[in-house]
Amino acid sequence: MTYSGRVTVGGPADVHELKDLMITKVAVGPMDNNAYLLRCRATDEQLLIDAANDAKTLLGTIGDDGIASVVTTHQHGDHWQALAEVVAATGARTHAGRDDAEGIPVPTDVLVDDGDTIRVGRVELTARHLVGHTPGSIALVYDDPHGHPHVFTGDCLFPGGVGNTRKDPKAFASLIHDVETKIFDVLPDETWVYPGHGNDTTLGAERPHLPEWHARGW
């Protein structure tokens, strides 16, 4: 079946099958968070992005093969509600942005800085530090050698705008600057965007609206 990126809490996962990587998207919790399970097709190693909620669903999605690591995109509580239980069940190493780790109540094994590489099997993900939604939010970029890039943006980029900056002009200026310079300016329109909540999008769908986002200030 064709991947749509549309998932609902309590509904089935959706699977995006790439040549080297399988991406399973599932929605969990009362805030309709997205969690993404990445599986290297060469090694079967797995990585989870945001153990947001509902450990039972996440562990069922992970299956008997377990996970090597969990990446938490940022410190907001709706993105780590199931982290302790998932780590206890799997022994996974935890990753988070250096400037957000103190806000996550599960110890972070690997502090992530801008440009760092995170591996899942033979697949490499590049972390991009995007400041504004939180001080240490990170996005993960997979530059597929067989196709277009894919980027997991947490709550920093959604269909229709950047993440919530709580009407703080300085935070908005920082976030939109980082999203433009580290995402839009360096990745093509075909780049697939996997956000922390809701449906997926592409950079091409969002790029024409950047001037509107600047003008409205959120």
Side-chain angles (χ1 to χ4, degrees):
M1 293 180 64
T2 302
Y3 175 78
S4 70
R6 298 183 184 91
V7 293
T8 58
V9 176
D14 199 4
V15 181
H16 203 169
E17 296 194 29
L18 309 179
K19 185 170 183 178
D20 295 338
L21 186 69
M22 290 183 63
I23 302 165
T24 300
K25 178 179 182 178
V26 62
V28 293
M31 295 185 71
D32 194 16
N33 284 75
N34 295 325
Y36 299 94
L37 180 68
L38 279 53
R39 186 182 186 98
C40 171
R41 302 186 76 153
T43 67
D44 288 332
E45 184 171 291
Q46 298 190 121
L47 173 151
L48 181 68
I49 299 174
D50 283 344
N53 206 302
D54 191 356
K56 182 178 179 181
T57 291
L58 295 180
L59 291 170
T61 303
I62 290 166
D64 293 338
D65 289 341
I67 50 173
S69 50
V70 184
V71 178
T72 302
T73 58
H74 63 289
Q75 65 179 261
H76 286 162
D78 59 307
H79 289 260
W80 47 254
Q81 291 296 311
L83 182 59
E85 192 170 344
V86 167
V87 169
T90 63
R93 288 171 60 80
T94 55
H95 298 65
R98 182 178 298 276
D99 295 328
D100 267 18
E102 286 188 2
I104 300 169
V106 177
T108 298
D109 297 317
V110 181
L111 298 173
V112 180
D113 294 310
D114 188 55
D116 283 356
T117 297
I118 298 173
R119 295 178 181 273
V120 51
R122 298 179 187 171
V123 170
E124 291 187 353
L125 309 169
T126 301
R128 301 317 314 250
H129 184 201
L130 307 175
V131 182
H133 182 66
T134 66
S137 289
I138 54 173
L140 297 178
V141 179
Y142 170 51
D143 192 0
D144 186 355
H146 309 289
H148 55 74
H150 300 256
V151 57
F152 302 87
T153 56
D155 284 1
C156 288
L157 177 62
F158 296 97
V162 295
N164 186 3
T165 50
R166 300 160 296 283
K167 299 182 179 180
D168 180 340
K170 290 180 67 175
F172 171 75
S174 174
L175 182 56
I176 199 161
H177 172 270
D178 282 1
V179 166
E180 283 190 298
T181 58
K182 297 181 182 181
I183 303 296
F184 281 98
D185 288 355
V186 295
L187 298 173
D189 283 351
E190 295 79 13
T191 301
W192 198 279
V193 176
Y194 305 82
H197 305 262
N199 294 337
D200 299 354
T201 186
T202 64
L203 291 187
E206 305 305 320
R207 195 184 302 275
H209 303 288
L210 283 166
E212 300 169 29
W213 304 352
H214 276 279
R216 75 189 186 195
W218 56 271

